Amino acid sequence: MNSTRLLAAGAAAGAAVLLLSGCVAKTDAAASGALTVTSTADGCAVSAGSAPSGTVAFTVDNKSEQTTEFYLLASDGLRIVGEVENIAPGASRSLTVVAQPGDYYTLCKPGMVGDGVGKAAFTVTGDAVAVDGPDAEQKQQAVDLYAAFVKDQVGQLLPAVQTFAAVYESGDDAAAREQFPRVRAFYERIEPIAEALGDLDPRIDYREVDAVAEGLDWTGFHRIEKDLWVPAQDALNADGETPAWQDWAPSTPAERATYGDKLIADTQELYDYVHSDAFTEALDAQGVAGISNGAIALLDEVATGKISGEEDWWSGTDLYDFAANVEGSKMAFSLVRDFAESKGDKGASLVGRIDAGYTDLEAALAAHGSAEAGFVPYSQLTEADKRQLTDLINALAEPLSQLTVTILE
């Protein structure tokens, strides 16, 4: 696929109160006077409930026995405006933000499912953070390009979803199965956009186990996926415990029409948002840090779902999603690469490590196919294959996690 048409996105919805966020190395965050967050099985203790506007860092220590996440939420408590995922028990990760004045919430999610714990108000005080400096015009151009890529991908996603839904509703399962991973690629490259819009991503892209855990109606791509790849009677869901046929049966033609039309409507909502003034204002407020965070967030998507094979549990098309996330992440990085490289020897070294990380990861992924020719089913990967990909993701994630704080220096 032509790389000039790829995209990564990390924008948060809403125009009034926004953050520029990204996962950063603990040492970088600590150097800037990070607030501390202690995540436990039933709590999320932040060392302070407020901070002045500007660069703010949170160092998150996971003291629970489950992998956890830390979120910064907008004032409505729904929209995600900053997050750090996949924090293993006993580990620490950090989140750096450029915070505009306003009201937020902090929240931890041990186990990475459910409503989370320890939700608390967090306030940013002071004056709005201005975009200035000699490279302000170049940075605005990067933001404009970022917006153009988002609109391009969603503009391709909507008609692809309409075609896909039509063949699914008609019962042409062979055609729908062929289209499924390729349609999803457009979405996977801009997934953080939908994640920032409250319940839009759950409606479009939640797995069954996640919807059940959060008490939500299960709709979207993965509901349709299960109809297209009907599981064996003794199969288990992605949690490895729940019987696949428990509280589920193949959809009737009428139900297929409902799920297909719902997916179209939710995709239309995403399309309308990225073509709205609110989206433009959100990107402008976040600046280039929002772009770098798109690169970080999309690699986190690979680490938390695709590498385990849990994302496309029934179709086994996870490598298509994997590739799309990496493509989107690399595109976002490319838009801010020069700003990082301009930060002296440290920035140049960081860019070199990130470049090498993408090259190595892409080469390993190419050994299993391509988006154009098709990827092998995820079940065909050996444990050694999965370990190699995991190691390469981790090797890239470490320098990439320092990108936001570097370009903001």
Side-chain angles (χ1 to χ4, degrees):
M1 191 170 293
N2 188 329
S3 64
T4 62
R5 294 179 66 80
L6 304 180
L7 145 85
V17 179
L18 293 166
L19 293 176
L20 315 182
S21 61
C23 308
V24 300
K26 184 177 180 180
T27 54
D28 291 325
S32 63
L35 301 174
T36 61
V37 181
T38 302
S39 177
T40 62
D42 56 4
C44 187
V46 183
S47 59
S50 65
S53 59
T55 301
V56 181
F58 299 85
T59 298
V60 186
D61 295 318
N62 185 6
K63 303 297 185 182
S64 75
E65 296 181 356
Q66 296 178 292
T67 300
T68 194
E69 301 170 327
F70 173 67
Y71 288 86
L72 284 162
L73 304 176
S75 58
D76 62 8
L78 296 175
R79 289 175 286 122
I80 300 169
V81 293
E83 64 176 326
V84 55
E85 303 176 306
N86 205 33
I87 311 170
S92 297
R93 292 188 73 186
S94 297
L95 181 72
T96 290
V97 302
V98 173
Q100 301 290 358
D103 296 325
Y104 303 90
Y105 290 98
T106 56
L107 177 75
C108 295
K109 192 175 289 188
M112 302 196 300
V113 295
D115 296 333
V117 299
K119 184 177 181 181
F122 186 81
T123 304
V124 175
T125 60
D127 298 327
V129 180
V131 178
D132 55 18
D135 57 355
E137 183 176 349
Q138 290 81 1
K139 288 180 177 179
Q140 185 60 50
Q141 289 174 349
V143 172
D144 293 342
L145 284 173
Y146 184 88
F149 281 120
V150 173
K151 293 175 183 178
D152 174 65
Q153 289 295 294
V154 180
Q156 294 181 73
L157 174 66
L158 182 57
V161 164
Q162 291 168 337
T163 301
F164 169 68
V167 295
Y168 163 68
E169 292 179 27
S170 74
D172 188 351
D173 288 2
R177 285 193 291 266
E178 175 68 20
Q179 293 178 26
F180 177 78
R182 291 173 169 81
V183 174
R184 283 178 53 74
F186 299 117
Y187 184 80
E188 290 297 325
R189 297 186 192 110
I190 55 89
E191 188 169 6
I193 290 287
E195 288 181 339
L197 293 174
D199 65 350
L200 187 57
D201 181 65
R203 284 185 268 141
I204 292 175
D205 202 41
Y206 255 26
R207 300 174 305 154
E208 183 176 9
V209 293
D210 297 324
V212 171
E214 298 188 19
L216 302 174
D217 291 336
W218 184 38
T219 61
F221 279 119
H222 295 301
R223 177 83 195 210
I224 293 173
E225 177 195 7
K226 197 170 182 179
D227 280 333
L228 297 175
W229 285 271
V230 176
Q233 289 289 335
D234 60 350
L236 297 177
N237 280 319
D239 58 4
E241 300 176 359
T242 310
W245 288 71
Q246 179 175 305
D247 301 322
W248 176 86
S251 299
T252 65
E255 289 170 335
R256 283 193 175 211
T258 297
Y259 294 130
D261 291 351
K262 176 65 172 170
L263 181 60
I264 293 172
D266 290 336
T267 306
Q268 181 69 58
E269 183 176 334
L270 180 61
Y271 179 91
D272 292 343
Y273 170 67
V274 303
H275 289 81
S276 70
D277 290 342
F279 174 66
T280 301
E281 292 164 2
L283 290 188
D284 287 347
Q286 293 192 25
V288 292
I291 305 174
S292 70
N293 295 329
I296 296 166
L298 282 163
L299 199 68
D300 277 342
E301 289 292 337
V302 177
T304 57
K306 281 68 176 183
I307 195 60
S308 65
E310 296 177 19
E311 178 77 6
D312 300 317
W313 186 249
W314 306 115
S315 64
T317 57
D318 301 82
L319 290 181
Y320 288 87
D321 290 357
F322 188 129
N325 283 158
V326 173
E327 289 166 344
S329 178
K330 185 178 180 181
M331 174 53 68
F333 167 65
S334 75
L335 293 175
V336 298
R337 186 182 185 281
D338 290 347
F339 301 116
E341 196 168 31
S342 69
K343 303 298 182 178
D345 292 343
K346 176 183 176 182
S349 174
L350 181 67
V351 166
R353 293 169 63 199
I354 294 172
D355 282 340
Y358 279 120
T359 297
D360 293 344
L361 183 56
E362 288 172 334
L365 191 58
H368 306 293
S370 68
E372 294 82 2
F375 284 103
V376 301
Y378 195 80
S379 60
Q380 292 187 19
L381 268 62
T382 66
E383 289 304 312
D385 293 332
K386 296 174 187 176
R387 282 195 300 273
Q388 180 194 29
L389 291 170
T390 298
D391 289 344
L392 291 170
I393 291 167
N394 291 336
L396 174 57
E398 192 280 321
L400 193 63
S401 71
Q402 302 174 44
L403 181 61
T404 300
V405 73
T406 298
I407 65 176
L408 292 177
E409 287 179 344

